[in-house]
Amino acid sequence: MSSVVLVGAQWGDEGKGKITDFLAKKADVIVRYQGGSNAGHTVEVDNEKFMLHLIPSGILYPNKLSIIGNGVVVDMEKLIQEIKGLEKRGIDTSMLRISSRASVVMPYHKKIDEIEDRTNKIGTTKKGIGPAYSDKIKRVGFRITDILYDKNFKERFKAEVRRKNHLITEFYQEKGFDHEVLYEQILQQAKAIQKYVADTSVLIYTAINNGDKVLFEGAQGTLLDIDHGTYPFVTSSSPTAGGACAGAGIGPTNIDRVLGVAKAYTTRVGEGPFPTELLGEQGDILRNKGAEFGTTTGRPRRCGWLDAVILRYAVRINGLTDIALTKMDVMDSFPTIKICIAYKYHGEMIYEFPESSDILEHCEPVYIEIPGWQQDISSITNFEGLPENAKKYIEKLEELLGVKSSLIAVGPKRDQTIVLENIFA
Ligand code: GDP
Ligand code: IMO
Ligand code: MG
């Protein structure tokens, strides 16, 4: 048995797509378990760049089962576009499977997300994620199976569109939806993806019992988790490792390892506290060298030094067994590099990640400073070949977190990955 959950250890965009693609070579099944098209996972293969939003990053390898689990909220229009886009580029999508239990993001969810983010400013991706998960929890959402097989779907849908129109037109004074037009559109989209729809929990369980290697590809990151993140500046799902069980339909005993993907610095998109944020020239260096512009929305990402308080928190919340440290090459030019090891809050030292965003907002980072390596490391292929100061940076981080680094990324491409330990042992 060999199954690995891969999670973002920070605020998302840690390079999960690249690491998933790298590990997918050895995996048999790759599963997305939560989130939706708010995710933007970039994979570079040779000179081609792929941006994946809903489809697991394992799709670029032929003959791997790529699964969209029940915990994902599926925007069918976007999914169809993504499938077509991949097919056009010669990628075979016949091994894609979508959970019949996955909830659907409706056009009215996107509209409500867009309207509500104007006043309740979270800085969402406007992909309808919050409203879709809210409806799922309120039990007024629609799953793929409802659209395809429930004979009461049309009636339920009509009633729901009426309720949503009331909110959109009466309260928000915007244009509503024609339920007949929307119904036809949704039905056609569901039919277009029907050939991929399956009871995916069965597929995953069978694969695990057959000894296949299963990789659960997280989206977003630990600090965007609805329970454990910087609430309310979070997404509406559970990107943390625990979310993999509920979102894929497996038990915790089926998970062997949890790999946390962390950037060698920190970024975040959208609103919310960020103690190590660099607003001046150093932030610009990270943003430009790291090409920190959103894959989904194109927004510039906020950048700052590595925060070990956050990463220790990610170790605890996810039960991390391994770290994949990405974008080490982005740190190449700094004469010295800072790592935040604690916060100061009203003169008091804090070592655990605070429960409240308001406290975090007023936390000052306490740094250690270590020498940089000031050398291009992007073509180094083994740990021994790294400059001494780069090794020391990695070792310092391992010491602070108590977890080993198993993979180091020194560039966006597949071969720019240093393996210290085999994840699928
Ligand atoms: P994800 O959402 O976690 O999959 O991350 P994104 O794809 O949104 O953002 C990560 C970006 O960094 C992408 O453009 C990747 O191609 C790129 N990337 C990943 N690993 C590395 C690395 O080690 N070095 C550099 N320079 N870029 C990387
Ligand atoms: P990947 O998988 C970075 C952020 C948004 C916003 C908050 C809520 O590429 O790492 P939402 O649309 O989910 O309701 O927005 O969460 N966010 C992400 N930030 N990477 C992501 O995904 C994100 N998905 C959502 O910017 O602050
Ligand atoms: Mg991303």
Side-chain angles (χ1 to χ4, degrees):
M1 187 170 98
S2 192
S3 54
V4 176
V5 175
L6 177 154
V7 293
Q10 295 152 325
W11 273 292
D13 301 325
E14 297 91 346
K16 296 176 295 293
K18 178 201 149 124
I19 300 295
T20 299
D21 167 77
F22 181 79
L23 293 174
K25 187 176 180 187
K26 291 219 176 133
D28 302 293
V29 184
I30 300 94
V31 187
R32 267 285 304 270
Y33 58 85
Q34 63 82 45
S37 60
N38 50 349
H41 296 181
T42 318
V43 182
E44 287 192 27
V45 185
D46 303 323
N47 289 323
E48 282 209 78
K49 201 180 212 179
F50 295 88
M51 315 272 205
L52 297 150
H53 299 284
L54 279 160
I55 297 177
S57 303
I59 195 82
L60 303 181
Y61 283 100
N63 303 321
K64 315 267 180 188
L65 208 48
S66 282
I67 292 180
I68 295 178
N70 56 274
V72 176
V73 284
V74 179
D75 177 339
M76 297 190 292
E77 186 188 355
K78 274 258 173 289
L79 178 62
I80 293 164
Q81 274 172 13
E82 206 166 313
I83 293 170
K84 283 189 180 156
L86 287 170
E87 292 277 348
K88 212 183 265 174
R89 295 173 73 178
I91 306 295
D92 176 20
T93 61
S94 63
M95 298 284 275
L96 175 69
R97 296 292 177 272
I98 306 157
S99 171
S100 48
R101 291 184 174 86
S103 291
V104 171
V105 177
M106 295 292 177
Y108 50 74
H109 290 137
K110 290 187 267 190
K111 176 116 190 173
I112 293 169
D113 193 7
E114 194 198 309
I115 297 171
E116 293 186 341
D117 200 57
R118 284 182 214 147
T119 44
N120 181 30
K121 210 133 179 53
I122 304 293
T124 75
T125 59
K126 321 276 192 292
K127 303 293 176 196
I129 305 300
Y133 276 116
S134 306
D135 277 5
K136 172 178 173 175
I137 302 303
K138 271 162 70 187
R139 296 156 297 184
V140 295
F142 298 97
R143 310 197 294 179
I144 293 173
T145 178
D146 300 335
I147 303 170
L148 287 173
Y149 308 116
D150 183 357
K151 51 185 184 336
N152 298 320
F153 170 64
K154 192 171 185 180
E155 275 316 297
R156 275 185 59 214
F157 187 67
K158 188 175 163 182
E160 193 49 34
V161 175
R162 196 179 300 134
R163 276 198 291 269
K164 290 296 190 288
N165 273 344
H166 185 74
L167 173 73
I168 294 168
T169 60
E170 300 295 314
F171 189 71
Y172 291 125
Q173 308 277 307
E174 300 248 351
K175 193 167 177 292
F177 291 88
D178 178 324
H179 83 261
E180 284 291 348
V181 174
L182 210 53
Y183 170 77
E184 281 307 321
Q185 188 185 323
I186 294 302
L187 195 64
Q188 290 316 314
Q189 288 169 354
K191 283 185 177 159
I193 61 166
Q194 189 166 15
K195 66 174 180 180
Y196 301 106
V197 175
D199 187 343
T200 51
S201 161
V202 174
L203 300 178
I204 301 166
Y205 188 68
T206 307
I208 289 172
N209 286 327
N210 286 343
D212 289 347
K213 296 182 178 67
V214 183
L215 178 63
F216 297 90
E217 177 186 7
Q220 288 77 51
T222 303
L223 294 189
L224 290 173
D225 187 279
I226 187 74
D227 288 286
H228 306 291
T230 44
Y231 193 89
F233 306 102
V234 292
T235 191
S236 300
S237 58
S238 304
T240 42
C245 291
I250 54 148
T253 48
N254 289 134
I255 296 169
D256 299 309
R257 237 163 147 156
V258 184
L259 173 69
V261 183
K263 262 182 219 187
Y265 50 100
T266 312
T267 63
R268 108 168 273 182
V269 212
E271 306 296 315
F274 180 175
T276 65
E277 182 167 20
L278 292 166
L279 295 168
E281 194 192 336
Q282 287 172 320
D284 292 340
I285 295 175
L286 290 172
R287 183 159 37 254
N288 293 329
K289 178 107 202 283
E292 296 296 355
F293 298 89
T295 310
T296 302
T297 58
R299 290 178 288 179
R301 295 171 182 155
R302 300 159 63 192
C303 299
W305 295 118
L306 190 70
D307 187 335
V309 181
I310 285 176
L311 294 182
R312 275 201 309 269
Y313 182 61
V315 169
R316 166 157 62 86
I317 296 296
N318 297 294
L320 298 186
T321 56
D322 303 79
I323 296 274
L325 190 62
T326 61
K327 303 193 107 164
M328 271 291 280
D329 55 304
V330 176
M331 310 306 278
D332 279 356
S333 65
F334 291 103
T336 60
I337 299 173
K338 289 183 180 174
I339 303 178
C340 168
I341 52 155
Y343 301 139
K344 218 174 213 174
Y345 179 68
H346 293 319
E348 198 186 313
M349 292 289 276
I350 293 186
Y351 294 92
E352 294 294 344
F353 191 72
E355 308 95 292
S356 132
S357 284
D358 185 53
I359 296 178
L360 190 64
E361 186 76 58
H362 296 98
C363 279
E364 274 173 54
V366 177
Y367 289 115
I368 54 168
E369 195 157 358
I370 62 170
W373 46 93
Q374 295 192 282
Q375 172 185 334
D376 179 1
I377 60 167
S378 63
S379 51
I380 293 173
T381 52
N382 57 45
F383 186 76
E384 290 67 40
L386 285 171
E388 282 312 308
N389 286 347
K391 286 184 200 161
K392 281 187 189 146
Y393 186 73
I394 295 163
E395 285 159 0
K396 186 74 206 171
L397 189 62
E398 290 181 335
E399 181 195 315
L400 289 167
L401 307 187
V403 177
K404 63 185 174 301
S405 302
S406 299
L407 293 168
I408 311 286
V410 293
K413 299 216 158 52
R414 275 181 184 163
D415 58 5
Q416 291 177 302
T417 315
I418 299 173
V419 181
L420 284 86
E421 189 170 313
N422 234 328
I423 294 295
F424 285 114

